[in-house]
């Protein structure tokens, strides 16, 4: 009798696990369907096109080496004080970065890369060179600039160099004059709310001589400490560098299916679905192993 009861219990347990596995498989298939952005055949694959969207035709970096910056341009610093660009030149070279402080992607990576590289450079901001960061967004003001300065000064880890970091905002006319001189092309694009609050732009930093002439461009968001140091040394002697490969990193996400930024969301959904599938797969593997263990004959 007890043997029969044991077999019945084992059968019930096995059926229970089978039901659990069946439920897991059903959930697995359901999640796979949710995670998939589109079923096979739902979308037509067009001809491959390596050309970037037309909106990026105006976005890029033209390397205006030896170009004199307009030092009489008026801006406002992170304290709200009216300043002229020229007051950061005359004694030392400078690193110039054109960004906007509410940029959701590339600008932070650019400034992160610059700060990380400067940690390994023995030159001191405010003593050996200046760091001048200028917003290309005329709607941004000193409060945002101050927050960015505090953030990157903390990341740099040397608060005594604060006088060498300058985060500026300004009017459209001053921004236009500066970006034109640098060769920094950008365009306004809609944000997630459909309003023109974001910018498509490329990423680079510029080394500028004490006289205010563009001496060197560094593209991308990661910079060699050795190259930065050499660029600052040469610029301090008013030497002009040579053009570098114009490999651009764009701050722009484009979905050709919807003309929106939804491609990023689709990738996130796919990633979440994949993680869930892996978790369920692991759960099913454990259950199968337990079934196999219970079904093994016991030695008496």
């Amino acid at each position: 009798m007890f043997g029969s009861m044991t077999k019945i219990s084992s059968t019930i347990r096995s059926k229970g696990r089978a039901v659990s596995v069946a439920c897991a498989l059903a959930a697995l298939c359901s999640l796979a369907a949710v995670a998939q952005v589109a079923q096979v055949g739902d979308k037509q694959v067009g001809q491959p096109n390596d050309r970037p969207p037309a909106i990026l035709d105006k976005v890029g970096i033209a390397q205006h080496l030896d170009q004199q910056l307009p030092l009489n341009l008026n801006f406002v610093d992170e304290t709200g004080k009216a300043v002229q660009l020229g007051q950061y030149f005359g004694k030392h070279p400078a690193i110039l970065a054109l960004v906007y402080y509410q940029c959701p992607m590339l600008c932070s990576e650019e400034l992160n890369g610059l700060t990380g590289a400067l940690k390994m450079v023995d030159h001191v901001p405010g003593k050996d060179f200046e760091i001048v960061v200028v917003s290309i967004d005329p709607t941004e003001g000193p409060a945002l600039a101050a927050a960015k300065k505090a953030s990157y000064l903390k990341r740099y880890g040397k608060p005594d160099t604060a006088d060498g970091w300058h985060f500026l905002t300004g009017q459209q006319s001053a921004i236009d004059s500066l970006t034109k001189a640098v060769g920094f092309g950008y365009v306004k694009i809609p944000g997630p709310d459909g309003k023109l609050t974001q910018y498509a732009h490329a990423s680079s930093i510029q080394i500028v001589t004490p006289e205010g002439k563009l001496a060197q461009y560094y593209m991308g968001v990661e910079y060699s400490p050795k190259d930065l140091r050499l660029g600052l040394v040469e610029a301090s002697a008013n030497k002009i560098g040579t053009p570098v490969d114009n490999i651009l990193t764009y701050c722009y996400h484009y979905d050709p299916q919807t003309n929106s930024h939804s491609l990023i969301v689709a990738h996130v959904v796919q990633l979440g679905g994949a993680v869930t599938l892996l978790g369920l797969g692991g759960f099913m593997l454990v259950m199968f192993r337990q079934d196999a263990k219970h079904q093994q004959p016991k030695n008496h």
Side-chain angles (χ1 to χ4, degrees):
M1 178 177 179
F2 290 109
S4 299
M5 291 297 292
T6 302
K7 290 181 179 179
I8 292 171
S9 175
S10 176
T11 301
I12 292 172
R13 184 169 58 248
S14 297
K15 288 184 177 180
R17 286 195 174 87
V19 171
S20 298
V21 171
C23 291
L25 284 171
L28 195 76
C29 295
S30 176
L31 281 168
V34 172
Q36 188 172 349
V37 176
Q39 297 294 330
V40 176
D42 283 355
K43 292 183 179 179
Q44 297 296 324
V45 178
Q47 294 296 323
N49 184 9
D50 293 333
R51 189 182 184 282
I55 195 172
L56 295 182
D57 289 345
K58 298 180 180 180
V59 176
I61 306 292
Q63 299 178 47
H64 293 172
L65 292 171
D66 205 24
Q67 171 74 40
Q68 176 67 54
L69 295 181
L71 300 182
N72 61 340
L73 296 178
N74 295 312
F75 290 96
V76 177
D77 71 9
E78 67 278 355
T79 68
K81 179 183 177 182
V83 296
Q84 275 199 337
L85 186 63
Q87 70 186 63
Y88 306 115
F89 297 90
K91 295 181 179 180
H92 312 298
I95 297 175
L96 174 66
L98 298 175
V99 300
Y100 69 107
Y101 302 134
Q102 297 182 95
C103 178
M105 292 169 288
L106 195 62
C107 299
S108 293
E109 295 301 319
E110 177 181 325
L111 294 178
N112 289 346
L114 172 60
T115 306
L118 288 177
K119 287 182 178 181
M120 294 179 277
V121 174
D122 55 5
H123 287 40
V124 180
K127 178 183 177 183
D128 302 310
F129 66 100
E130 306 293 329
I131 301 168
V132 182
V133 183
V134 182
S135 172
I136 60 173
D137 185 350
T139 69
E140 295 184 332
L144 284 171
K148 281 294 181 181
K149 176 174 178 175
S151 173
Y152 284 101
L153 195 59
K154 181 178 180 180
R155 177 183 282 266
Y156 186 57
K158 299 177 182 179
D160 56 317
T161 65
D163 290 344
W165 297 71
H166 316 283
F167 285 70
L168 311 182
T169 55
Q171 299 297 316
Q172 189 67 62
S173 58
I175 294 170
D176 288 345
S177 295
L178 181 58
T179 54
K180 182 178 179 181
V182 173
F184 185 88
Y186 66 100
V187 293
K188 220 168 194 179
I189 59 172
D193 57 0
K195 297 180 180 178
L196 291 172
T197 56
Q198 295 186 6
Y199 296 86
H201 63 90
S203 176
S204 75
I205 59 173
Q206 292 71 227
I207 305 292
V208 188
T209 70
E211 296 178 350
K213 290 188 176 183
L214 291 160
Q216 189 66 66
Y217 287 74
Y218 296 110
M219 304 297 182
V221 295
E222 293 185 359
Y223 313 106
S224 163
K226 181 179 178 182
D227 289 345
L228 272 181
R229 183 184 182 281
L230 179 61
L232 288 169
V233 169
E234 291 185 342
S236 65
N238 292 307
K239 293 182 179 179
I240 307 300
T242 56
V244 298
D245 290 338
N246 211 1
I247 301 174
L248 300 181
T249 303
Y250 291 108
C251 183
Y252 179 70
H253 287 274
Y254 176 74
D255 185 350
Q257 295 294 335
T258 63
N259 292 324
S260 71
H261 297 234
S262 63
L263 187 60
I264 301 172
V265 177
H267 287 171
V268 171
V269 171
Q270 287 176 327
L271 179 60
V275 171
T276 306
L277 293 177
L278 289 174
L280 282 173
F283 168 72
M284 291 167 59
L285 180 61
V286 171
M287 291 180 64
F288 282 129
R289 285 183 174 177
Q290 287 181 348
D291 279 337
K293 182 178 180 182
H294 284 296
Q295 290 174 5
Q296 288 178 355
K298 295 182 179 180
N299 297 323
H300 296 286

